[in-house]
Amino acid sequence: MAFPDGFAWGTATAAHQVEGGNSANDIWFLEHLPRTIFREPSGDAVDHYRLFRDDIALLARLGFTAYRFSVEWARIEPEPGVWDAAATQHYREMLEACHEHGLVPIVTYHHFSSPLWLLAEGGWEAASTVDRFARFCTYVTEQLGDLIGVACTLNEPNLAWLLAEFGIAERDAAARVNQPMWVDAGAALGLAPHEVAPFQFCATEAAYQVKLAAHRAGRDSIKAVRPDLQVGWTLANSDIQWVPGGEDRAASAREAVNVRFLLDTRGDDFVGIQTYGRTVFDAAGLAPVPAGASVNTMGEEIYPRAIGSTVREAAEIAQVPVWVTENGLTTDDDTQRLAYFREAVTAVEECLADGIDVRGYVAWSALDNFEWIFGYGPKFGIIAVDRPIQERTVKPSGEWLGRVATSNGSIRP
Ligand code: BGC
């Protein structure tokens, strides 16, 4: 059987997308600007801050063996160097709940959202962020490290470069001057628009340098407290392909989005790979979705086998063990999600059969949640949430993946 003993099966969330009330971070700030590009504010999200015990118990009951979640920096360090004991205790209780239910806690230290004070200091283009993040990593590991199973420093430091291929993030800070949300943000913070640098949106050289240095300093800080803890970052790697005429564009995108960050990963304990589909280039740029292909709720082609290619690419270039830390589909038709998981799990199994060291498969997402600028429209969850009453309903794909987890991949009903 391809899945080795101890292979982890999990689902993932991120604090800002599920907790609710994250009013001290930069995303909340962006959500509420007059000319925000966020479709709606995150508000109460799915109230996971309060309901985490039930949610964790439910995931365990379904059969999962791991849970990936993030700690919210703005809650833990509401002002620079000021630590919030109650927030720290909250995450301790989450970790304890995971252990109680036999779930390996995979903790992301930074999943897109940062304290608003960090944004005001220049965010992810300011060199000072490197030490700020390292200090946060030290504190979290000192306080919680004894209970953390696997540590992820930064979530998707390369996402901005993938978004830049779609024209959603800027490669040049000066371009922010023409964008109303950055103008509003700058005005509110007393910065020029080009000085506003949140994590997801800046595909600049300065952001690359800061993220890489922050990852390395964060990793070293975690290791200094707990040398045995496995530490890595998690990358947004699309399966980048081309049709005739698109070779050069595909090669340069692959270099900027995937290859550069995988080379930077060498020397880490592992790399987390997060793949949703493929990105195809033709002579004119991004190729249209092939005629007749099924699409997700965002109009993108459903292409579950992408994860096999990106895991192989990661193992070959980064030369470290691989975790699938996110993989999933936004759809209102759960039969499509189940079929997606089935094919994706098979693609991972084939990687293992070929000798690639894959440590676990973590689906995105445990719960339908706040999909950043797209608000609550897209639904990636294996558990549906009726938000006005915060009621959870497990989808068939969740039951299915839980059964696969229970049998360590041998039963795929
Ligand atoms: C992120 C998640 C996000 C998911 C689906 C990844 O880019 O880590 O926060 O919800 O993809 O778009």
Side-chain angles (χ1 to χ4, degrees):
M1 200 182 63
F3 294 101
D5 284 348
F7 187 85
W9 296 88
T11 62
T13 60
H16 189 75
Q17 293 178 272
V18 293
E19 287 184 345
N22 265 316
S23 57
N25 75 28
D26 56 350
I27 306 289
W28 184 282
F29 164 77
L30 296 176
E31 287 164 20
H32 290 86
L33 290 171
R35 291 179 291 171
T36 184
I37 59 167
F38 283 76
R39 287 207 186 137
E40 57 186 317
S42 52
D44 292 337
V46 293
D47 207 9
H48 188 58
Y49 203 75
R50 196 171 58 87
L51 298 175
F52 72 91
R53 285 178 211 286
D54 294 346
D55 291 337
I56 287 172
L58 179 54
L59 293 170
R61 182 178 71 62
L62 287 172
F64 293 102
T65 59
Y67 177 44
R68 173 171 176 252
F69 63 94
S70 72
V71 291
E72 183 61 43
W73 186 356
R75 287 188 191 270
I76 294 178
E77 192 181 0
E79 289 172 48
V82 175
W83 307 102
D84 187 302
T88 307
Q89 177 61 21
H90 168 85
Y91 292 112
R92 208 167 170 83
E93 288 171 16
M94 278 189 82
L95 289 161
E96 283 166 355
C98 288
H99 286 284
E100 224 171 274
H101 290 285
L103 299 179
V104 175
I106 304 169
V107 174
T108 306
Y109 284 57
H110 186 276
H111 194 126
F112 293 164
S113 51
S114 309
L116 183 56
W117 57 256
L118 193 91
L119 191 66
E121 288 181 355
W124 290 91
E125 288 175 348
S128 54
T129 289
V130 175
D131 288 344
R132 297 291 204 203
F133 183 65
R135 182 174 63 174
F136 173 67
C137 289
T138 299
Y139 174 82
V140 169
T141 315
E142 280 172 354
Q143 297 294 317
L144 307 173
D146 56 322
L147 296 179
I148 295 176
V150 177
C152 309
T153 55
L154 301 178
N155 181 69
E156 300 191 345
N158 62 334
L159 176 66
W161 284 267
L162 181 59
L163 294 180
E165 297 294 335
F166 293 88
I168 300 171
E170 300 296 346
R171 294 190 179 88
D172 176 7
R176 287 175 222 151
V177 173
N178 302 319
Q179 294 178 354
M181 182 168 78
W182 306 120
V183 174
D184 288 355
L189 295 170
L191 300 173
H194 71 271
E195 293 170 326
V196 181
F199 190 87
Q200 293 118 298
F201 300 101
C202 305
T204 60
E205 186 56 25
Y208 169 71
Q209 296 297 344
V210 169
K211 288 174 178 177
L212 179 59
H215 163 63
R216 291 191 168 151
R219 178 194 65 194
D220 294 348
S221 303
I222 295 168
K223 287 282 194 188
V225 180
R226 250 202 73 186
D228 62 311
L229 186 55
Q230 298 288 293
V231 187
W233 63 4
T234 61
L235 300 178
N237 286 5
S238 179
D239 179 359
I240 296 174
Q241 305 181 0
W242 64 89
V243 293
E247 293 85 346
D248 292 351
R249 279 291 309 276
S252 71
R254 186 171 167 249
E255 179 61 36
V257 181
N258 295 3
V259 175
R260 177 168 59 155
F261 288 86
L262 288 169
L263 287 170
D264 292 337
T265 303
R266 289 186 182 172
D268 288 356
D269 294 323
F270 69 90
V271 62
I273 293 300
Q274 318 199 145
T275 300
Y276 289 86
R278 65 173 173 176
T279 307
V280 185
F281 290 91
D282 62 15
L286 289 166
V289 172
S294 311
V295 294
N296 66 18
T297 47
M298 284 146 115
E300 300 152 346
E301 181 189 2
I302 300 180
Y303 190 78
R305 301 196 66 81
I307 189 66
S309 313
T310 54
V311 164
R312 284 169 203 276
E313 175 187 61
E316 191 189 317
I317 299 175
Q319 297 169 8
V320 294
V322 179
W323 276 82
V324 176
T325 39
E326 283 182 28
N327 182 239
L329 179 68
T330 169
T331 176
D332 296 329
D333 174 359
D334 190 58
T335 58
Q336 285 187 325
R337 182 177 296 99
L338 197 157
Y340 179 99
F341 284 147
R342 187 191 293 281
E343 242 190 283
V345 165
T346 301
V348 171
E349 185 180 38
E350 288 166 4
C351 291
L352 284 159
D354 288 344
I356 296 173
D357 184 355
V358 189
R359 300 286 170 94
Y361 178 84
V362 177
W364 185 270
S365 177
L367 302 150
D368 285 340
N369 63 45
F370 180 70
E371 181 56 24
W372 308 109
I373 60 172
F374 303 104
Y376 289 100
K379 299 207 169 12
F380 283 90
I382 59 154
I383 301 170
V385 182
D386 182 353
R387 290 183 58 239
I389 53 170
Q390 295 296 353
E391 192 177 74
R392 276 66 171 144
T393 306
V394 179
K395 302 179 190 178
S397 61
E399 302 278 2
W400 183 86
L401 196 57
R403 278 202 292 278
V404 174
T406 308
S407 71
N408 196 23
S410 63
I411 297 174
R412 301 224 279 280

